[in-house]
């Protein structure tokens, strides 16, 4: 059984203004400044070094156009069409996370776990943190059979070798380390929220 993500109430944005001052232009500038900030990149690297997990900073899917148009073009670990399935799963997880204004731990089509954390500034969704994939247990025969039944329904019933290789090389975390990962993600999300507010303050000052 997967450990629950610890309470991250501090990550839940305060209810209030429904949009950033300046609308879409302010959202795009906030995202650009976040993704280009050297300190943000350093923290991503530090997270991966500490946990062994990849950490990706994504724009909201609704804003994934222009130079970020490929942000949600997922290459599936089982070969096509698994990438399309992974993308659909990611978008569903994003929708749940934004609706709840809270982190979501979800399972990809290969049965691996990921954590998506929405980042809000002034109650507006400006970015996502995506950590994983990882596992919390070994791939047992029963779990393998369960996953292959599911994949067969999606036309991927001949991908058992790829599935087993994927699991073999995916980080396996203890329950304690899984909770630590969620805590670090919460701290990083709060840092990004603070940076986003600073970006908006700078923008407002420049427009005076």
């Amino acid at each position: 059984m997967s450990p629950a993500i610890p309470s991250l109430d501090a990550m839940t944005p305060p209810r209030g203004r429904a949009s950033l001052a300046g609308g879409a232009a302010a959202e795009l500038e906030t995202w650009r400044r976040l993704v280009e900030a050297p300190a943000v990149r350093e923290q991503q690297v530090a997270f991966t070094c500490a946990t062994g997990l990849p950490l990706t900073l994504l724009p909201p899917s609704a804003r994934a156009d222009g130079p970020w148009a490929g942000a949600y073009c997922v290459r599936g670990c089982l070969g096509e069409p698994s990438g399309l399935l992974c993308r659909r799963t990611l978008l569903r997880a994003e929708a749940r996370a934004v609706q709840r204004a809270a982190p979501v731990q979800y399972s990809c089509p290969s049965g691996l776990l990921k954590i998506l954390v929405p980042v809000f500034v002034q109650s507006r969704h400006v970015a996502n943190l995506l950590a994983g994939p990882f596992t919390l247990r070994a791939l047992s025969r029963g779990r393998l059979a369960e996953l292959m039944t599911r994949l067969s329904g999606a036309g991927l019933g001949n991908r058992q070798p790829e599935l087993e290789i994927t699991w073999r090389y995916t980080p396996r975390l203890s329950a304690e380390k899984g909770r630590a990962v969620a805590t670090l993600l919460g701290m990083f999300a709060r840092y990004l929220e603070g940076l986003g507010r600073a970006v908006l303050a700078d923008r407002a000052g420049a427009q005076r």
Side-chain angles (χ1 to χ4, degrees):
M1 181 175 180
S2 302
I5 296 175
S7 176
L8 296 175
D9 292 339
M11 291 179 54
T12 304
R15 303 299 177 185
R17 295 163 63 182
S19 62
L20 295 179
E27 289 179 36
L28 290 173
E29 181 175 351
T30 301
W31 160 251
R32 181 183 61 79
R33 294 277 293 275
L34 290 178
V35 79
E36 293 177 356
V40 171
R41 295 178 185 174
E42 290 173 4
Q43 291 200 36
Q44 283 180 269
V45 172
F47 176 92
T48 298
C49 289
T51 66
L53 302 183
L55 178 62
T56 306
L57 181 61
L58 294 170
S61 58
R63 297 290 183 195
D65 52 13
W68 301 291
Y72 285 81
C73 293
V74 181
R75 292 183 61 187
C77 61
L78 304 179
E80 291 303 329
S82 67
L84 181 59
L85 296 176
C86 289
R87 184 177 186 274
R88 289 174 180 169
T89 305
L90 171 58
L91 292 176
R92 286 196 296 268
E94 181 197 34
R96 292 199 308 273
V98 172
Q99 182 180 29
R100 301 172 184 175
V104 166
Q105 179 174 291
Y106 71 97
S107 175
C108 75
S110 295
L112 304 175
L113 299 175
K114 298 182 180 181
I115 301 176
L116 187 143
V117 183
V119 178
F120 295 87
V121 176
Q122 292 184 355
S123 298
R124 191 70 173 220
H125 182 209
V126 299
N128 295 312
L129 286 170
L130 180 65
F134 61 95
T135 68
L136 296 168
R137 56 181 175 173
L139 182 60
S140 65
R141 290 184 179 180
R143 180 61 170 158
L144 177 60
E146 177 187 329
L147 290 172
M148 288 310 304
T149 298
R150 183 195 307 173
L151 291 171
S152 295
L156 295 169
N158 62 341
R159 307 296 169 86
Q160 181 170 329
E162 291 88 342
L163 179 65
E164 292 184 276
I165 290 172
T166 296
W167 271 73
R168 187 179 308 147
Y169 291 102
T170 295
R172 182 179 172 187
L173 306 184
S174 65
E176 182 179 2
K177 193 164 186 178
R179 290 190 290 270
V181 164
T183 298
L184 289 173
L185 285 172
M187 295 170 64
F188 194 14
R190 290 193 293 273
Y191 168 78
L192 292 175
E193 291 167 6
L195 182 58
R197 289 191 294 270
V199 168
L200 292 181
D202 289 347
R203 189 174 190 272
Q207 292 177 341
R208 288 174 187 162

